[in-house]
Amino acid sequence: MESRWRQADAEGLEGVALLVYVSRLIGRERDLVLWGGGNTSVKVQAADALGRPVDLLFIKPSGADLASIREEEFAPLRLEDLRPLRGREALDDAGMVDLVACALSRPAAARPSIEALLHAFLPQRFVLHSHADALLALCNHADGAGRVREVLGTDVAAVPYRRPGFALAREVAEACAGMKEGGACVLLKHGLVTFGDDARAAYERHIELVTRCEQALPLPAVGEAAPPDRDRAARLGPQLRGALGVRRVLLFDDDPEVRAALSDEALLERTQRGPATADHLIRTGRVPCIVRGPEDVVRYREAYGEWASGDREGLERLPSAPHVMLAPGVGMWTCGRTFEEAVVAHDLYRQTLRILQRAGDGWEPIDAEQALHAEYWPLQHAKLQRFGPGELEGRVAWISGAAGGIGSAIARRFAAEGAHLILCDIDGDAVEALAREIGIHALALDCDVTDEAQVQDSFRRACLGYGGVDIVVSNAGIAHAALLEELTLEDWRRSMEVNSTAHYLVARAALPILREQELGGAFVFVASKNVPAPGAGFAAYSAAKAAQTQLARVLALEAAPLGVRVNVLHPDAVFEGSGLWSAEVRRERARAHGVPVEELEDFYTRRNLLRTRVRPQDVAEAALFFASDRSSRTTGATLAVDGGVREAFPR
Ligand code: ZN
């Protein structure tokens, strides 16, 4: 590992500013820390709020990311309140958290790292802690201490594994007593601590020790990978997702390195022994699930239940679903309530696979009991707390015509409720822009819904992109206005193809996935007020929309045994952002109603009972109702979003 220290960049920096510099050097090295792992601190003399001199420990807050940390993020703790604690016989976690909180010189600061006392008890100014890959490969071993002495030298301390807290902090302080510059301590089966009054020396000592581990345990050459099998992945994804027992989105990875690792039987066996460091536990689970089919997920969940029936320190049981699934010959899935969580689990487990490759057969991580003690730990569970889970959290919604007025309003509304989206539109650029706006919860697909192969492929992409699909909003449509005598066969057929046949293609492609998943699901068809109340000069559109509505009703009958609900929206006169209301259609409809074209929108507003303008967000709200569990007892229904329109004909 190369030192990233650039004296020119560090020149003139001191105290917390220098700590920021060195923290980011560590944070940017994936082989040292990932996603909020590790922590750093500095001890400085400063003035308190009243101007009195005070010794402060600035430490990384829990969960902050070293790669991007800023000066104001570090939590300042009064050392005179912390140092005397070392003399105590014992201190439980709750007591420790309390005392650390009381030592904050800025009460509004973020919660300090749970390893704050470890930093406080070491006298040196700079303390750096990482979960370096190569070091974990070395020290997750029956004779970890012996290997540390052999590879890193006798001047490096090693303390046995124990959950962070007061006792570990005291043990480290005792093991490191008398060390000066370049001091180092290995927390066996956990990570590395280096320290010194000089930031550069502490950092370079860290890099030097990790480099020695890398040299002692080089990453073996990657074997030949089995060829990728995306078809199998697209089939297996929804089956596994359905077996999880909780609603999750899945991230799939089958790059050659992963496939090669998964074809190594010995390595797969090592994955089942435990995590590389307890810090990863709540993100990756104790062990991944090796899957050949969904029944393996079921078995995994049973085993988890047994394991988690041990002492959970009063904490509620976490879902038994695996966070990581390894399918030899296919690839790796990671699961999350959100895609972000799946990404964190993915990155940590990719790193773990490399650690396991380096480690070889002597791999011996923390045991099942230690892992339970680490997973069910109030201080870790605090990291899982999040605010405001949305109504569609963990769900995947496929939406056609997503770039249009109604489609994009539905996409934004669903995204705000935590859904992950497959956005299809024939306007590839527009749908791409929408997906960019929404972020990693959306995939954009340039898709013509009248093309059978493209529709099939869009659902396959949903399975590979997020693991499956729960909600299908079949919304894409076109309008064509012409009196029957003037309507060409070509325009009639085109309307039938887009407004009717395409919905059949969508239903037929989605249904097998919903069947495999066994998670229920919801179809929402966006039809039109023209179905109950057609307008003259709108035959091609109204007839096709009537066919779409009838298709939905039959689908409701056929999908009900799967717990899949099918409902229809009948909006009217939604102009905003609409591709349907082309200049030509506006002209035609204005003529049909005998109003000037510039008054057409007002005409529709005046026409409905509520005398109101129907907006895309009104349709989106209705779509959300049908997509969510709020309408769990409703299928085969139609909801008008039209301001109230008198029907042209009695039903
Ligand atoms: Zn740690």
Side-chain angles (χ1 to χ4, degrees), residues 529 532 568-572 618 622 626 638-645 651:
K529 155 262 163 198
V568 183
L569 297 177
H570 282 170
D572 187 37
D618 301 317
F626 277 152
T638 300
L639 182 60
V641 190
D642 58 8
V645 172
R651 281 192 214 228

Side-chain angles (χ1 to χ4, degrees), residues 250-284:
L250 270 52
L251 186 167
F252 178 65
D253 183 359
D254 65 351
D255 95 6
E257 197 182 306
V258 171
R259 281 184 283 119
L262 300 189
S263 54
D264 179 344
E265 283 290 333
L267 183 111
L268 282 180
E269 186 275 316
R270 289 202 285 285
T271 65
Q272 299 302 296
R273 298 185 201 171
T277 174
D279 196 57
H280 295 175
L281 262 173
I282 52 163
R283 305 293 178 197
T284 63

Side-chain angles (χ1 to χ4, degrees), residues 44-232:
V44 296
Q45 261 226 331
D48 69 8
L50 298 173
R52 296 169 300 199
V54 59
D55 285 333
L56 293 178
L57 170 77
F58 281 85
I59 185 154
K60 192 199 89 158
S62 186
D65 192 353
L66 285 177
S68 59
I69 198 155
R70 289 165 293 119
E71 204 168 321
E72 58 275 21
E73 283 184 75
F74 283 96
L77 294 162
R78 280 184 302 270
L79 277 164
E80 64 181 58
D81 293 352
L82 297 181
R83 281 182 176 138
L85 300 179
R86 211 186 135 180
R88 295 216 181 179
E89 268 308 306
L91 182 58
D92 65 16
D93 285 346
M96 176 183 76
V97 168
D98 244 17
L99 288 166
V100 168
C102 289
L104 276 169
S105 81
R106 187 158 45 83
R111 202 160 47 87
S113 160
I114 47 195
E115 278 150 351
L117 285 187
L118 187 154
H119 290 251
F121 291 171
L122 290 167
Q124 290 79 2
R125 290 186 66 219
F126 287 91
V127 179
L128 311 175
H129 168 49
S130 80
H131 306 134
D133 285 10
L135 179 102
L136 291 171
L138 182 83
C139 74
N140 275 294
H141 191 274
D143 184 25
R147 292 178 107 195
V148 167
R149 269 196 306 279
E150 187 187 314
V151 173
L152 302 182
T154 50
D155 55 342
V156 174
V159 298
Y161 173 81
R162 71 155 75 231
R163 195 167 82 175
F166 172 74
L168 179 67
R170 223 176 51 169
E171 271 174 28
V172 170
E174 273 157 29
C176 299
M179 286 186 189
K180 294 265 181 286
E181 273 313 293
C185 181
V186 173
L187 314 178
L188 294 171
K189 308 185 181 191
H190 172 171
L192 174 65
V193 183
T194 62
F195 41 84
D197 289 333
D198 180 61
R200 180 173 188 169
Y203 168 73
E204 288 189 335
R205 178 74 164 142
H206 212 96
I207 302 301
E208 176 215 327
L209 293 175
V210 173
T211 305
R212 275 202 248 161
C213 295
E214 287 175 342
Q215 287 161 350
L217 295 168
L219 199 57
V222 187
E224 194 62 26
D229 190 348
R230 288 277 166 99
D231 287 339
R232 183 144 172 244

